[in-house]
Amino acid sequence: MVMPLPQTTRQYYLPKFDGVHNLTMREAVVTPPKHSEVLVKIHAASLQFRDLLLAKGKYPVPAIKENVVPLCDMAGEIIAVGDEVEEWKVGDRVCANFWVDHIFGEFKSGYLLSALGAPIDGVLTEYKVFPVHCLVRAPDHLSYEEASTLPCAALTAYTALQGSIPAKGGDTVLIQGTGGVAIFGLQFAIALGATVIATSSSDAKLKVAARLGAKHLINYKTMPDWDEEVLRITNGRGVDHVIEVGGSGTLTKSLNSVCYGGSVHVVGVVAADGDISTLPQQVMLKNASLHGVIVGSRVQFEAMNRLISANLIKPVVDKVFPFEDAQKAYEHLDSQKHVGKVVIKISKD
């Protein structure tokens, strides 16, 4: 028996951009999928630091859709397919790529307008239509809540470590913090055979990093010259890769931490501003690569999922909130008490 498709969807939107208190629920019409589209029942969505910046009006993008539906990370099941869709069927478990139109190859400026949850409506909704070219299959061993953490945080970490100079067995990788990208970076580095040095302001969070395989732990509150400690740990050589989440506040220390010819992958700007006047000299004298990362393509997503499945990697989910408590999920992320990912469970079945 074919079940009738839903006619409406509950979703959140942001009428203003001056705080998470603006998050508002509404009911919207569900349109059936067109020829090369599918309709997805979204089971779970996860939060990024980006989502806080967006809600507070601090997200630097070319355009933000008026009354935008936020969030970019989801996992769900296909409940209807367009008449030209051959590669997907009803019941398939899927995630959507962060950049809807970045399928493969180098990033192009036009892709900036295809980011879910800013230029186009995002995934904090019960049902959503997606073009098939942005979809990937969710790993079988993951729950919907776990799979919802992959599109942005996991793919950013994967792209950093598997870019133009890929991390390999025997490398040393420095991970900053214990947020979503950092924890995935730690897990991927271990799966690739690298040694991980993890930093955090919390000893309790560092214990989580240790359980996940980090060999060396640095509390940067009690050891503010953490870059010198990295050099001590590596006998003066430095690390091969740094997953840099701080931005200008930590960038010079990251470059001091990296080895000659090493790579610093800039994936975030969560630290306070700092003096980067010596940056050009540091990059030049270290012969270092400064690599900006803005998530990745659908093809990279598929490759990452093969790594996740082969190693049975399980995302670290800090807390799951019900759909009705979406604002509390934002507030929990903003508190910075989490380790790993904060998730909103959208579907009740």
Side-chain angles (χ1 to χ4, degrees):
M1 178 180 178
V2 178
M3 297 296 291
L5 296 182
Q7 301 299 304
T8 61
T9 179
R10 293 185 305 161
Q11 60 184 209
Y12 284 94
Y13 74 103
L14 286 166
K16 296 180 181 179
F17 301 98
D18 59 4
V20 300
H21 62 278
N22 290 310
L23 201 62
T24 305
M25 189 182 288
R26 68 184 176 192
E27 192 171 88
V29 174
V30 174
T31 58
K34 297 178 182 177
H35 302 299
S36 58
E37 296 177 334
V38 299
L39 176 61
V40 176
K41 179 180 183 179
I42 298 180
H43 285 259
S46 67
L47 287 164
Q48 311 293 331
F49 183 68
R50 164 194 194 253
D51 301 313
L52 290 176
L53 293 179
L54 182 72
K56 296 176 181 180
K58 299 179 180 179
Y59 188 53
V61 294
I64 298 177
K65 183 179 182 293
E66 185 177 356
N67 295 321
V68 69
V69 177
L71 304 197
C72 54
D73 287 15
M74 56 69 68
E77 66 174 310
I78 294 174
I79 60 171
V81 299
D83 57 14
E84 294 181 1
V85 175
E86 297 179 354
E87 66 269 41
W88 299 102
K89 65 182 185 302
V90 171
D92 284 345
R93 302 167 72 247
V94 296
C95 298
N97 200 43
F98 177 93
W99 306 107
V100 170
D101 292 337
H102 188 193
I103 301 172
F104 63 91
E106 295 181 358
F107 190 84
K108 299 177 182 178
S109 61
Y111 299 152
L112 290 169
L113 297 179
S114 72
L116 290 166
I120 61 177
D121 280 331
V123 300
L124 195 50
T125 181
E126 292 175 309
Y127 301 95
K128 184 174 177 63
V129 171
F130 293 95
V132 292
H133 66 251
C134 76
L135 297 178
V136 301
R137 209 169 297 278
D140 291 338
H141 71 288
L142 300 184
S143 67
Y144 283 115
E145 290 79 10
E146 292 166 336
S148 76
T149 68
L150 302 180
C152 184
L155 188 53
T156 297
Y158 179 85
T159 303
L161 293 176
Q162 292 292 282
S164 56
I165 306 177
K168 60 187 182 303
D171 282 355
T172 304
V173 177
L174 174 62
I175 305 293
Q176 293 179 350
T178 53
V181 177
I183 290 295
F184 276 118
L186 191 167
Q187 291 176 298
F188 292 153
I190 296 298
L192 294 167
T195 298
V196 172
I197 302 173
T199 71
S200 175
S201 62
S202 163
D203 287 339
K205 291 180 178 180
L206 286 171
K207 289 180 180 178
V208 176
R211 288 200 296 271
L212 292 171
K215 186 174 181 180
H216 304 284
L217 311 172
I218 303 173
N219 186 319
Y220 62 78
K221 288 292 186 183
T222 59
M223 193 172 293
D225 294 329
W226 51 266
D227 50 331
E228 296 298 329
E229 178 64 7
V230 170
L231 293 175
R232 187 196 67 78
I233 290 170
T234 58
N235 296 315
R237 178 182 181 273
V239 300
D240 299 278
H241 296 269
V242 180
I243 294 188
E244 162 62 54
V245 302
S248 63
T250 54
L251 197 48
T252 56
K253 286 183 180 292
S254 290
L255 279 163
N256 191 42
S257 302
V258 79
C259 69
Y260 287 86
S263 301
V264 177
H265 310 283
V266 182
V267 304
V269 289
V270 301
D273 290 339
D275 179 9
I276 56 173
S277 59
T278 63
L279 188 65
Q281 183 179 4
Q282 284 184 288
V283 173
M284 179 181 66
L285 293 179
K286 278 289 186 78
N287 191 31
S289 297
L290 199 58
H291 177 208
V293 182
I294 45 175
V295 203
S297 69
R298 192 204 74 198
V299 168
Q300 289 171 304
F301 199 158
E302 291 166 338
M304 177 189 73
N305 280 354
R306 291 194 293 272
L307 177 68
I308 289 172
S309 296
N311 290 273
L312 296 179
I313 293 172
K314 298 278 279 187
V316 176
V317 175
D318 182 88
K319 193 170 183 179
V320 179
F321 290 82
F323 188 52
E324 292 74 17
D325 289 341
Q327 185 173 321
K328 291 181 180 179
Y330 273 75
E331 292 166 350
H332 181 62
L333 181 69
D334 203 15
S335 73
Q336 297 186 13
K337 295 178 180 178
H338 65 290
V339 175
K341 299 295 296 177
V342 178
V343 173
I344 297 171
K345 182 176 174 61
I346 297 176
S347 173
K348 293 182 179 179
D349 55 13

